[in-house]
């Protein structure tokens, strides 16, 4: 019955849609993929993609492609653009591999890289400045602070995603800028939604709400614009907008009017019953409530309001990745399609109706035996990432420091080759000779066998940041420590931000894992298999006391007062014996005042007397 | 040196201090007699050697020399703000309109092939007289000239010629005048008997031609005189014949038109309140209905065109029937992506809004386009001054595609609004209107550049602590040369080009970034820096100098007294 209705719906759609509109409607796709993760988290991946032909783009006719962005691209001569707004940390240990193989995420803060058309480096810099300033206005972000000190030109790490005709390759410049300190918030989401053809008014974008998005444990907003030339047909310019967010289910389910977390009353407390002391009056609270029931309106605060009418009807708007054994409730009129892999299912939504989905908690039968295992059964097992990476500062004091990156290859039999890129601020002066890679548990340096290629562009004070790209490999099932030392420089008084004691953010390191091929010689031609970013670091520099200039003035003045005053007085005063000089008494001034006062009184009296006399 | 009273017990009477003082300084033995017998008997110090006194004066003097000759110049040099020399008086002269008298000499050639040379000359002289009698505005000159007789078939007029209008005199039945719609030609027919004789001092034909010319250029004259009167052009130079109503309508029109820019971005946007329609044939429609006008405007402005479609657009006003107040808030600036374009050129927005809203009140656009007033009053569109136009288009709810034919009316409306947004005058044939526009724009630019110069001069005078970099001075001198050139060649294409450059340079000089950088440096900060430094140094220096001066004066007086005593003795 249901299938019959869907057939009817499809036939109706195909009849009423104008043939031209139908052909054009495949220019826009949108899809939401929901994947419950371990530890009661939920990954929601929104993907919006629209196309415009290059000829229409050059004629300034914009339909699905946003005009505001298109104009900026044309003005700045941009061929391909990638913009990232990210917040939080992806917990790879428990959540597994990143969505989109890490290709649609950035480090904390704002990241921007673009291929620009320019004849010379100066021209590229100029266009880059135009681009960052224009984007900063469009996205309400401080992108205009990406100056020359925060801009690098990566050599190995990034490769264009789009199809660029070979003839122009020599004239395209890749520039990369990052703002780790930028706080991503609602004001960045609003312009992001405005770029969508259906705004936030219809389709899956209706779920996007700043309160929920920026409350997530991890979120990443991405905009990717690239030219795509299919084998048959015209080249198109494709804009892909992606939002990935990991929501803590329990946190998201808090009622909106009462968001402050409070301890639950005793009878609602979830206890760990496996503890030996568990009884009616003693409770060891379970640290998370696995596999809770949740619904779209609970998690996102609203339901999906129909579909965007421009979308490709062949792409189901909502997909859910849970094992086939779990049951899911959906609102009437929607259609469920299970995929062949048995781990995901997709839903067709009625164009005008609201869509709600409820994922009930799995049956309790399995849960009593082994919680962790049971949870994994009810979820799609997260994929193991190719590499785990974490980065931290070592050392102590205000002068020197070190950076240590721990890179772990979980695969038992596959070697991982990757490019590790750091773009450091100029005030972290690294000592390149101290760069060292060693395998955990093995003594001695294996630098030469692990590090294959180093590209280093040293910093220039106040003009350019450090750029370090290292191509290295990690053998199977081993952990590699990559370390180097650096020196902290002292900034000028005006270069400190108002919150100088907080520290300075150091951008995330970008790790680009290359596809393993036999030809080691050419690294540029190899495609990217996976990308990940470490967390950003907080580097504390020696901060001066900011009242210093006034202190200096006062101190100098005191010294001058002592030295100059003394010297001057010695030179110009005459010295006489103690009994020869004028008597110095404390009452000098007082006496003089009293004298004056007395005179005044006398004057008054005499005057008063004069008046009396005349009477 | 310190001339304090030796004992301060209050017993001395008031007449003694000066004597006591002198006694100490002079240190003569008899002074001790005057000293009152207090609790302690004080000795007086031995007399100072004259060389010591001299040395002390030298020390103080050298300290002061160092301060005055070394310290002060260094302080002055390091704390002065660089102010480039600006020709302030000349700038103010430009702003007051004293430097340039905008004169638009319009050359009008008369083609009278049917007339004898002598007759034609005579007619020309009479017409010129009549024109000069009619004209009360010195800035706007109509100069007649006789064009060499051409063959009647050849009616081509030279484009690069500066001639503003050609009058073609053709013999005919009665006196009529028609303006050629495609070229700046005024065709006048006359009955042969109206040709003035060589001796007559007046002629009805000459008067007729003069009045026709005057009415043709009446609007241009009014606009230019309005522009001049709004700037500080000397009043004697101002025309008198501007009625308040005319001035008001002109001011309305000038506030409506955009500021001059060499390039305008035209943005055509289709906004729909729902998901449909999602495509339109805008390119074809622009090519058909708007391109001709854009091509004609090309010598004055460049245009870039972009189009966009925005679905699910909520207008700022949700009422079904829009009244006059709603129109101003209809454009939802917060949500509609109409952000100004990058690159400096202003954007003119043309919005087609597909929805079922209607306008209830008299449309705003109705009062200004006289030529197609009927079309405008019935059309659901309105013009937003200096911004663009909104057109409400109601379509059947399931339309998915807007055809070029549907867009005809909106685009024709947009075209007429574009002309009024660029400030084109409304009467006359199109070529005349455009050449008038060029003249109005050059006058406008000239006046604007002059007033910017004036503001810069007043700013430089008002803020003495503002630094003026040399680039500003360069900009000012460039502006002035171009202004001078523009003023000399007003009315022609060259004048417009010079006025453009002058205006751009003046704006750049005025908005120089480094001028406002350190404009505000509070006095408290200066006090906080100078006081602790100068206090401990300045006070001993100053006191030393004062004491020295006092001692020196006393020494002189004593010398004089001694001299007087000696004389007495």
């Amino acid at each position: 019955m249901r299938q019959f209705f869907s057939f009817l719906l499809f036939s109706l759609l195909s009849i009423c849609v104008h043939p031209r509109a139908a052909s054009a409607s495949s220019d826009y796709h949108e899809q939401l993929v929901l994947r419950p993760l371990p530890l009661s988290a939920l990954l929601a991946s929104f993907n919006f993609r629209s196309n415009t032909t290059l000829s229409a783009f050059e004629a300034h006719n914009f339909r699905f492609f946003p005009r505001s962005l298109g104009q900026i691209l044309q003005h700045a001569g941009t061929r391909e653009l990638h913009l990232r707004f990210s917040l939080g940390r992806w917990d790879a240990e428990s959540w597994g591999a990143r969505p989109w193989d890490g290709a649609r995420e950035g480090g904390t803060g704002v990241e921007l890289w673009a291929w620009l058309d320019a004849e010379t480096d100066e021209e590229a810099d100029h266009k880059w400045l135009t681009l960052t300033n224009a984007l900063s206005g469009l996205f309400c972000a401080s992108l205009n602070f990406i100056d020359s000190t925060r801009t690098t030109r990566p050599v190995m790490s990034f490769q264009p995603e789009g199809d660029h005709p070979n003839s122009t390759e020599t004239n395209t410049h890749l520039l990369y800028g990052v703002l780790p300190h930028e706080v991503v918030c609602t004001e960045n989401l609003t312009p992001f939604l405005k770029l969508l053809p259906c705004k936030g008014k219809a389709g899956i974008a209706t779920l996007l709400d700043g309160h929920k998005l920026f409350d997530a444990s991890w979120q990443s907003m991405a905009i990717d614009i690239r030219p795509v030339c299919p084998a048959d047909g015209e080249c198109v310019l494709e804009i892909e907008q992606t939002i990935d967010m990991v929501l803590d289910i329990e946190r998201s389910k808090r009622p909106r009017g009462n968001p402050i977390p409070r301890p639950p009353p005793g009878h609602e407390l979830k206890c760990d019953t496996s503890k030996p002391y568990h009884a009616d009056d003693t409770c060891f609270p379970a640290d998370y409530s696995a596999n809770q029931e949740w619904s779209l309106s609970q998690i996102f605060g609203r339901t999906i309001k129909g579909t965007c009418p421009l979308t490709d009807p062949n792409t189901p708007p909502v997909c859910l990745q849970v094992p086939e054994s779990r049951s899911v409730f959906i609102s009437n009129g929607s259609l469920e399609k299970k995929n062949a892999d048995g781990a995901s299912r997709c839903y067709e939504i009625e164009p005008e109706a609201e869509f709600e989905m409820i994922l009930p908690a799995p049956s309790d039968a399995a849960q009593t035996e082994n919680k962790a295992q049971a949870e994994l059964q009810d979820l799609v097992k997260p994929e193991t990432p190719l590499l785990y990476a974490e980065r931290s500062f070592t050392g102590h004091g205000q002068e020197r420091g070190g950076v240590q990156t721990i890179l772990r290859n979980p695969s038992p039999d596959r070697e991982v080759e990757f490019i590790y890129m750091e773009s450091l601020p100029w005030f972290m002066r690294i000592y390149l000779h101290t760069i060292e890679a060693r395998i955990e548990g093995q003594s001695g340096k294996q630098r030469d066998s692990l590090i294959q290629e180093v590209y280093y562009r040293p910093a220039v004070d106040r003009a350019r940041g450090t750029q370090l790209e290292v191509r290295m490999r990690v053998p199977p099932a081993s952990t590699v420590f990559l370390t180097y030392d650096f020196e902290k420089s002292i900034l000028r008084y005006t270069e400190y931000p108002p919150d100088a004691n907080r520290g300075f953010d150091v951008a995330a390191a970008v790790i680009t894992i290359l596809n393993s091929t036999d030809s080691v010689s050419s690294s540029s031609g190899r495609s990217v298999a996976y990308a990940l970013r470490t967390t950003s670091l907080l580097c504390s520099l020696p901060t001066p006391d900011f009242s210093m200039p006034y202190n200096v003035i006062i101190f100098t003045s005191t010294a001058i007062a002592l030295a100059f005053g003394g010297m001057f007085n010695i030179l110009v005063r005459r010295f006489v014996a103690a009994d020869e000089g004028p008597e110095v008494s404390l009452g000098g001034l007082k006496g003089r005042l009293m004298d004056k006062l007395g005179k005044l009184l006398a004057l008054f009296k005499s005057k008063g007397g004069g008046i009396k006399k005349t009477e | 040196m310190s001339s304090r009273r030796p004992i301060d017990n209050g017993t001395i009477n008031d007449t003694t201090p000066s004597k006591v003082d002198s006694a100490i300084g002079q240190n003569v033995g008899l002074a001790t007699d005057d000293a009152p017998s207090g609790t302690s008997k004080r000795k007086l110090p031995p007399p100072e050697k004259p060389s010591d006194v001299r040395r002390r004066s030298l020390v103080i003097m050298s300290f002061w020399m160092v301060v005055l000759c070394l310290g002060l110049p260094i302080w002055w040099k390091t704390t002065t703000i660089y102010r480039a020399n600006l020709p302030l008086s000349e700038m103010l002269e430009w702003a007051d309109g004293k430097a340039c008298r905008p004169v638009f000499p319009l050359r009008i050639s008369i083609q009278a092939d049917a007339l004898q040379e002598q007759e034609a000359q005579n007619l020309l002289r009479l017409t010129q007289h009549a024109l000069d009698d009619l004209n009360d505005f010195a800035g706007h000159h109509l100069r007649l000239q006789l064009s060499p007789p051409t063959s009647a078939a050849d009616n081509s007029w030279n484009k690069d010629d500066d001639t503003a209008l050609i009058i073609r005199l053709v013999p005919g039945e009665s006196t009529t005048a028609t303006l050629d719609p495609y070229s700046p030609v005024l065709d006048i027919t006359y009955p042969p008997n109206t040709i003035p004789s060589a001796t007559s001092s007046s002629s009805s034909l000459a008067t007729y031609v003069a009045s026709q010319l005057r009415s043709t250029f009446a609007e241009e004259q009014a606009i230019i005189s309005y522009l001049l009167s709004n700037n500080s052009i000397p009043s004697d130079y101002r025309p008198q014949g501007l009625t308040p109503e005319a001035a008001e309508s002109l001011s309305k029109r000038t506030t409506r038109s955009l500021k001059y820019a060499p390039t305008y971005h035209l943005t055509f946007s289709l906004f729909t309140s729902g998901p449909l329609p999602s495509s339109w044939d805008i390119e074809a429609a622009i090519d058909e209905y708007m391109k001709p006008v854009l091509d004609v405007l090309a010598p004055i402005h460049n245009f870039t065109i972009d189009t966009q479609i925005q679905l699910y657009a909520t207008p700022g006003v949700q009422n079904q029937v829009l009244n006059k107040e709603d129109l101003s808030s209809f454009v939802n600036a917060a949500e509609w992506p109409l952000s100004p374009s990058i690159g400096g050129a202003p954007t003119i927005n043309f919005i087609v809004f597909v929805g079922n809203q209607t306008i209830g009140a008299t449309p705003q656009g109705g009062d200004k386009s006289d030529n197609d007033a009927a079309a405008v009053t019935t059309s659901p569109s309105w013009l937003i001054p200096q911004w663009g136009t909104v057109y409400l288009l109601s379509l059947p709810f399931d339309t998915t595609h807007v055809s070029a034919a549907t867009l005809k009316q909106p685009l024709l409306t947009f075209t007429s609004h574009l002309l009024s947004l660029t400030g084109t005058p409304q009467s006359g044939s199109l070529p005349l209107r455009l050449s008038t526009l060029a003249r109005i724009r050059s006058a406008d630019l000239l006046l604007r550049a002059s007033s910017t110069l004036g503001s810069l001069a007043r700013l430089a005078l008002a803020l003495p602590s503002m630094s003026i970099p040399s680039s500003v001075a360069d900009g000012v001198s460039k502006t002035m040369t171009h202004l001078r050139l523009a003023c000399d060649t007003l009315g022609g294409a060259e004048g417009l080009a010079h006025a453009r450059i002058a205006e751009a340079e003046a704006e750049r000089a005025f908005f120089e970034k480094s001028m406002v950088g350190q404009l505000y440096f509070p006095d408290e900060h200066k006090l906080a820096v100078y006081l602790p430094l100068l206090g401990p140094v300045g006070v001993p220096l100053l006191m030393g100098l004062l004491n020295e001066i006092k001692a020196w004066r006393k020494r002189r007086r004593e010398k004089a007294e001694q001299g007087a005593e000696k004389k007495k003795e």
Side-chain angles (χ1 to χ4, degrees), chain B residues 276-519:
Chain B
L276 291 173
S278 64
S279 62
W280 58 343
D281 266 343
I282 184 67
E283 224 174 331
I286 290 174
D287 279 346
E288 196 174 341
Y289 305 118
M290 203 157 192
K291 206 78 190 170
V293 176
L294 296 186
D295 289 342
V296 172
L297 282 170
I300 308 169
H301 302 287
N302 292 322
F303 293 99
T304 66
I305 296 172
D306 47 47
T307 66
Q308 63 172 342
I309 299 173
Q310 296 292 332
L311 310 179
Y312 294 103
T314 354
V317 183
Q318 306 283 352
N319 301 352
Q320 181 62 38
V321 176
L322 303 170
N323 55 32
K324 200 174 171 183
E325 287 74 43
D326 293 337
L327 297 184
S328 55
S329 53
F330 184 82
V331 173
N332 190 346
E335 281 188 24
W336 293 3
L338 296 167
S339 46
S341 55
I342 49 174
T347 305
I348 305 178
N349 287 288
F350 295 115
I351 293 175
V352 177
F353 188 83
V354 178
N356 49 8
Q357 282 162 312
T358 50
I359 302 177
T362 326
Q364 294 275 291
D367 57 351
K368 44 112 221 82
S369 318
D370 303 318
N371 45 355
D372 53 0
V376 172
T377 41
T378 54
S379 79
S381 68
W382 68 95
L383 182 141
I384 299 171
Q386 307 192 358
W387 192 84
T389 300
V390 182
Y391 190 98
L392 296 178
L393 189 68
S394 60
L395 291 172
F397 74 98
D398 56 348
T399 320
T400 56
H401 180 76
V402 184
S403 64
T406 324
L407 289 170
K408 181 181 177 184
Q409 195 51 52
L411 278 177
L412 290 180
T413 314
F414 291 161
T415 309
S416 81
H417 284 184
L418 175 68
L419 287 178
S420 74
L421 282 168
T422 49
T424 320
Q426 280 144 19
S427 60
S429 66
L430 194 58
L432 263 184
R433 283 163 76 184
L434 291 177
S435 67
T436 305
L437 176 63
R439 285 190 288 274
I440 293 170
R441 283 305 193 189
S442 39
D444 187 24
L445 285 173
L446 183 80
L447 293 172
R448 191 137 8 110
S450 314
S451 85
T452 310
L453 276 188
S455 310
L456 183 59
R458 282 191 293 277
L459 187 73
L461 288 173
L463 296 173
S465 64
M466 182 180 73
S467 77
I468 300 172
S470 53
S471 63
V472 173
D474 284 353
V476 167
S477 71
K478 251 186 224 168
T479 311
M480 298 228 279
T481 39
H482 283 286
L483 272 180
R484 176 49 60 203
L485 289 170
C487 188
D488 294 343
T489 56
L490 260 186
E494 211 182 326
L496 178 62
H498 283 303
R500 264 189 211 182
I501 300 170
E503 209 265 339
E505 286 291 339
E507 293 286 310
R508 193 175 309 150
F510 187 78
F511 290 106
E512 169 69 41
K513 260 188 251 167
S514 54
M515 283 206 297
V516 282
Q518 273 287 313
L519 197 56

Side-chain angles (χ1 to χ4, degrees), chain B residues 36 72 82 101 122 237 273 378 389 395 405 408 432 434 567:
Chain B
L72 264 184
Y82 177 73
R101 295 194 142 214
N122 193 32
Y237 194 57
S273 52
T378 54
T389 300
L395 291 172
K408 181 181 177 184
L432 263 184
L434 291 177
K567 267 186 187 168

Side-chain angles (χ1 to χ4, degrees), chain A residues 539-550:
Chain A
C539 173
S540 69
L541 293 185
T543 46
D545 171 11
F546 288 104
S547 59
M548 180 179 69
Y550 294 101

Side-chain angles (χ1 to χ4, degrees), chain A residues 325-372:
Chain A
S325 54
R326 289 189 71 170
S327 54
V328 178
F329 301 126
I330 50 171
S331 50
N332 280 340
S334 312
L335 278 181
E336 186 179 283
K337 277 198 294 187
K338 291 199 174 166
N339 287 2
D341 59 357
S344 69
R345 49 189 102 182
C346 291
Y347 298 95
E348 297 284 353
I349 300 177
E350 263 194 285
E352 297 292 329
E354 298 207 347
F355 176 74
E356 169 69 304
M357 180 167 68
I358 298 167
L359 188 77
S363 52
D364 290 297
Q367 235 173 355
T368 45
E369 295 163 22
N370 190 334
K371 267 189 94 124

Side-chain angles (χ1 to χ4, degrees), chain A residues 102-320:
Chain A
R104 296 281 173 270
E105 68 173 82
T108 304
V110 180
E111 230 176 278
L112 170 74
W113 68 100
W115 276 266
L116 303 171
D117 256 344
E119 295 291 325
T120 57
D121 280 1
E122 288 75 39
E123 194 190 341
D125 284 336
H126 185 72
K127 285 186 167 174
W128 176 250
L129 191 73
T130 317
L131 179 70
T132 49
N133 279 305
L135 287 177
S136 122
L138 185 61
F139 288 104
C140 303
S142 322
L143 281 162
N144 52 331
F145 285 104
I146 298 184
D147 50 6
S148 64
T149 63
R150 290 165 210 232
T151 304
T152 54
R153 292 160 190 262
V155 176
M156 300 188 280
S157 290
F158 295 101
Q159 278 146 30
E161 285 179 18
D163 303 313
H164 297 283
N166 282 334
S167 57
T168 55
E169 281 286 337
T170 47
N171 289 339
T172 50
H173 295 250
L174 165 65
L175 284 101
Y176 170 87
V178 58
L179 283 177
H181 186 38
E182 181 75 7
V183 180
V184 184
C185 202
T186 323
E187 75 267 18
N188 306 122
L189 177 68
T190 315
F192 185 93
L193 288 180
K194 265 199 216 173
L195 299 181
L196 299 173
C198 285
K199 313 280 177 293
K201 305 273 173 63
I204 57 172
T206 47
L207 287 184
L208 289 169
D209 171 28
H211 291 97
K212 295 290 180 183
L213 178 60
F214 299 106
D215 192 37
S217 314
W218 175 81
Q219 72 86 15
S220 178
M221 291 199 293
I223 293 175
D224 296 273
I225 297 165
R226 56 179 177 266
V228 178
C229 289
D232 52 332
E234 212 189 336
C235 285
V236 294
L237 195 68
E238 185 179 280
I239 176 168
E240 189 169 353
Q241 288 176 261
T242 316
I243 292 185
D244 295 298
M245 57 206 272
V246 175
L247 289 159
D248 186 329
I249 291 177
E250 203 170 352
R251 189 178 165 87
S252 311
K253 278 169 75 176
R254 283 191 319 231
R256 202 167 184 178
N258 185 15
I260 302 164
R262 292 187 176 81
H267 59 275
E268 282 177 23
L269 214 58
K270 291 197 173 64
C271 301
D272 191 347
T273 49
S274 60
K275 298 284 174 195
Y277 47 79
H278 177 74
D280 282 347
D281 55 344
T282 48
C283 178
F284 184 83
D287 49 350
Y288 61 90
S289 37
N291 282 326
Q292 287 190 58
E293 174 186 293
W294 57 264
S295 68
L296 278 185
S297 54
Q298 279 178 324
I299 294 282
F300 291 101
R302 39 178 107 169
T303 54
I304 296 179
K305 292 183 182 62
T307 56
C308 178
L310 307 170
T311 46
D312 180 9
N314 297 323
T315 316
V318 181
C319 288
L320 178 66

